[in-house]
Amino acid sequence: ATTLGAAAQQSGRYFGTAVAAGRMGDSTYMGILNREFDMVTAENEMKMDATEPSQGRFTYGNADRIVNHARSRGMRVRGHALAWHSQQPGWMQNMSGSALRNAMLNHVTQVATYYRGKIYAWDVVNEAFADGSSGARRDSNLQRTGNDWIEAAFRAARAADPGAKLCYNDYNTDDWSHAKTQAVYRMVQDFKARGVPIDCVGLQSHFNAQSPVPSNYQTTLQNFANLGVDVQITELDIEGSGSAQASNYDRVTRACLAVSRCTGITVWGIRDSDSWRAYGTPLLFDNNGNKKPAYTSVLNALNAG
Ligand code: G3I
């Protein structure tokens, strides 16, 4: 196959990208999007601040532009993200206790209901664990409403959009030996044991020199899958250039292909200049929209798999 999406489909997987509504007038950007990808994630437009700017008033204009474009072209959509400590609207940031818990659950219910039937997988909860060696939950206003806030969010999402896969999504959960990875693993294990509805784990997979692709990355994917959930690589980008970057992209792609429940890969933007860390040139297309060596290595790996 000659495109990322078609190459991924050969093994029943998808290949997606983050899309920013503000770039949808850029014909180079849209040309690559429409040619290469078969899954889309809104980079910012489905987050809590974008969809509920004032309490109880929901706005979906930019999110709908992305979702409608994707669906009209036969691309599927990952919903990102229903509940997160970051990018909360101002009105929510200083809330606490049962008022915050109810506001969060109402947000999950309203957004998941609005998009019911249109989303392949929701990032129901994003980035709820702390970095470092503690293995603890991240402190946040949501966490302070009680340790059960995550399972409450998953239950609300299942009730609102029963056909969608429900994912827990995080970063720095790629190295199997890290405390954060282990903590997420134990939470998913516990959810499966107690019947809390969870279908998938998203590994964001933002890599750079400080946080390289770990040697045990495939082990991590496999161990999560062994809990009875799908795994998805949800926000892939790898800083670097040339053959070193290409080889890292190859390793990540092969790791997913080697794990039957790794259902797809999403890169976090199209051209380097579209990236949240453009200085690191972390993506598959250069600023002019030309294919980089990393693109070719991913395409070849998908075709070989
Ligand atoms: O749209 C406004 C613009 O009007 C304003 O002039 C400008 C001034 O700062 O800000 C613009 O908003 C920015 C937005 O990106 C759109 O470009 C926000 O400030 C900025 O904070 C926001 O950054 C996003 C970041 O999440 C916020 O947490 C990045 O685009 C987005 O790539 C990034 O994505 C996250 C995932 O959601 C979760 N995992 C990590 C990943 C990378 O940080």
Side-chain angles (χ1 to χ4, degrees):
T2 59
T3 67
L4 299 169
Q9 284 171 24
Q10 294 171 130
S11 66
R13 294 179 172 83
Y14 64 83
F15 206 96
T17 182
V19 168
R23 302 206 193 266
M24 291 180 72
D26 179 328
S27 60
T28 303
Y29 182 89
M30 293 305 283
I32 300 170
L33 170 64
N34 293 339
R35 184 184 75 223
E36 297 287 343
F37 298 98
D38 63 354
M39 183 73 76
V40 157
T41 306
E43 187 173 0
N44 289 295
E45 294 78 356
M46 258 190 232
K47 293 173 180 175
M48 300 178 101
D49 59 351
T51 50
E52 196 178 358
S54 58
Q55 188 169 14
R57 185 175 65 83
F58 290 82
T59 56
Y60 297 107
N62 285 329
D64 279 348
R65 289 175 60 205
I66 295 173
V67 171
N68 292 339
H69 177 82
R71 287 169 53 80
S72 75
R73 310 278 312 199
M75 307 171 191
R76 291 181 291 169
V77 179
R78 296 191 78 267
H80 174 80
L82 293 172
W84 190 17
H85 70 276
S86 182
Q87 283 184 281
Q88 292 180 359
W91 61 266
M92 186 182 280
Q93 287 173 22
N94 294 314
M95 287 180 83
S96 63
S98 59
L100 174 61
R101 173 69 70 99
N102 290 335
M104 180 274 288
L105 292 174
N106 183 58
H107 181 88
V108 170
T109 298
Q110 294 296 324
V111 176
T113 299
Y114 179 82
Y115 285 111
R116 171 187 297 184
K118 296 183 173 176
I119 302 296
Y120 163 69
W122 286 105
D123 291 331
V124 177
V125 170
N126 196 38
E127 302 177 0
F129 282 81
D131 293 307
S133 59
S134 70
R137 295 282 183 86
R138 176 194 297 276
D139 180 50
S140 72
N141 60 346
L142 291 169
Q143 181 61 29
R144 290 191 291 270
T145 71
N147 208 49
D148 61 345
W149 74 275
I150 297 179
E151 61 196 83
F154 274 83
R155 290 200 163 96
R158 180 69 97 220
D161 190 6
K165 291 184 185 293
L166 305 183
C167 300
Y168 176 78
N169 191 54
D170 214 329
Y171 66 92
N172 281 350
T173 48
D174 316 290
D175 188 322
W176 178 243
S177 68
H178 280 181
K180 188 173 174 180
T181 310
Q182 296 289 318
V184 173
Y185 179 86
R186 284 194 301 273
M187 179 187 74
V188 175
Q189 188 174 46
D190 171 59
F191 280 12
K192 294 298 285 185
R194 290 191 295 114
V196 177
I198 185 168
D199 307 301
C200 39
V201 172
L203 277 72
Q204 294 184 9
S205 304
H206 294 292
F207 296 118
N208 58 20
Q210 291 70 44
S211 181
V213 183
S215 57
N216 57 23
Y217 186 64
Q218 183 182 321
T219 300
T220 304
L221 294 173
Q222 186 66 60
N223 285 345
F224 277 112
N226 289 347
L227 291 174
V229 291
D230 290 347
V231 291
Q232 301 168 5
I233 298 172
T234 53
E235 304 181 14
L236 179 62
D237 53 18
I238 310 176
E239 290 186 27
S241 63
S243 61
Q245 182 180 48
S247 139
N248 281 319
Y249 266 102
D250 170 77
R251 284 186 48 216
V252 169
T253 306
R254 284 176 195 277
C256 181
L257 291 169
V259 175
S260 61
R261 290 198 76 161
C262 182
T263 59
I265 299 173
T266 295
V267 288
W268 205 239
I270 296 179
R271 299 163 300 196
D272 286 332
S273 48
D274 301 316
S275 172
W276 66 295
R277 46 182 189 179
Y279 55 85
T281 62
L283 294 173
L284 302 179
F285 295 87
D286 70 18
N287 296 352
N288 297 317
N290 296 313
K291 296 169 180 174
K292 295 166 60 181
Y295 171 94
T296 307
S297 73
V298 171
L299 184 68
N300 289 345
L302 292 171
N303 279 327

